[in-house]
Amino acid sequence: MKFLSFNMFSKVFISTLVFLPAIVSAGIFDDDDARKAILDLRTKLAELSTKLDARLNDKADKSSILELSSQHELLRQEIATLRGQIEVVMNDLVNAQKRQQDFYMDLDKRLRNLEPKKVNIDGQEVSVDPSELKAFNSAMALYNAGDYPSAVAAFSSFNMTYASSAYASQVHYWLGNSYYAQKDCKNTVATLQNLLSKFPDYVKAPDAMLNIASCQLVMKDKKASRKTLDAVISKFPGTEAASAAKSQLPLTK
């Protein structure tokens, strides 16, 4: 009777293991390969349970109690092995779920980095592409570091890549100043005149005109320099730029 009670306990143990993988596969992660592995293990457990039932119900085998006990122990060992395999599968499922969550979090972060950024340009809030913002900031960093040749290359590249950018007026201005810092008066005048043509109301237009006038004087075109200075005085009366223009007028005589 003790042996039968032991076997009845084993049957309950096996039946519990049979249903465990189904719960795991339904609740943790929806992965076809893992679910198939769990189903295979459940099938093996069911087969062992059936075999044990047959042994217990067969009157003839009960006369060989020692042999049955040995076989039953082997079945218990195999069940223990299968249980270990189930735990491995469960661990793999949890790890797979964690990897998937990390993937989606990284993807969400990447997508957010691609969203337009709100920036303030000359007093107005506008949306710009992240790559556009990065390109402009990189060019300005070169200018502020005094690397004017590289700044010229960066601003010129920006103009070609982002022709309709909200930064266009600033890029033209700082490109002109990059030339001016290198005493490249020909390109300074051409760039800043292009700025004034496209963006006549640009906030730094007076400063751009003063730089143009200075370069025209260096290029020995006093007439053009005087004309530019007069335009500063008439368009921006009472400003510091107008005062600076008046102080430079005698040089154009």
Side-chain angles (χ1 to χ4, degrees), residues 105-196:
M105 289 179 63
D106 181 65
L107 179 62
D108 181 66
K109 182 179 179 181
R110 290 173 182 270
L111 290 175
R112 287 181 182 275
N113 288 336
L114 294 176
E115 293 178 355
K117 306 294 183 183
K118 292 288 187 180
V119 296
N120 188 292
I121 299 179
D122 298 331
Q124 293 185 341
E125 187 176 67
V126 297
S127 295
V128 298
D129 185 86
S131 61
E132 181 181 345
L133 176 61
K134 182 179 179 180
F136 177 78
N137 287 339
S138 296
M140 283 303 305
L142 291 170
Y143 179 86
N144 291 329
D147 188 355
Y148 303 118
S150 295
V152 166
F155 285 124
S156 297
S157 175
F158 186 100
N159 271 335
M160 291 186 290
T161 306
Y162 307 101
S164 59
S165 171
Y167 282 114
S169 56
Q170 290 199 21
V171 169
H172 278 77
Y173 177 78
W174 292 111
L175 175 59
N177 276 13
S178 296
Y179 284 126
Y180 186 78
Q182 298 178 81
K183 296 182 172 55
D184 184 346
C185 281
K186 182 178 179 180
N187 280 315
T188 297
V189 172
T191 302
L192 294 181
Q193 284 182 339
N194 188 30
L195 163 69
L196 297 174

Side-chain angles (χ1 to χ4, degrees), residues 66-79:
L66 196 55
E67 180 185 355
L68 179 59
S69 178
S70 177
Q71 292 177 358
H72 185 259
E73 183 60 30
L74 291 176
L75 291 178
R76 291 187 61 202
Q77 291 176 7
E78 187 170 354
I79 289 172

Side-chain angles (χ1 to χ4, degrees), residues 199-249:
F199 309 98
D201 297 325
Y202 179 54
V203 65
K204 294 183 182 297
D207 294 329
M209 294 174 72
L210 287 175
N211 285 348
I212 290 173
S214 295
C215 273
Q216 288 170 331
L217 191 60
V218 170
M219 296 166 68
K220 302 187 184 305
D221 191 347
K222 292 184 177 181
K223 183 177 180 181
S225 181
R226 170 174 281 276
K227 183 178 179 180
T228 300
L229 293 173
D230 285 338
V232 174
I233 295 169
S234 62
K235 288 184 178 181
F236 309 103
T239 64
E240 291 184 6
S243 297
K246 288 178 182 179
S247 67
Q248 292 180 33
L249 276 175

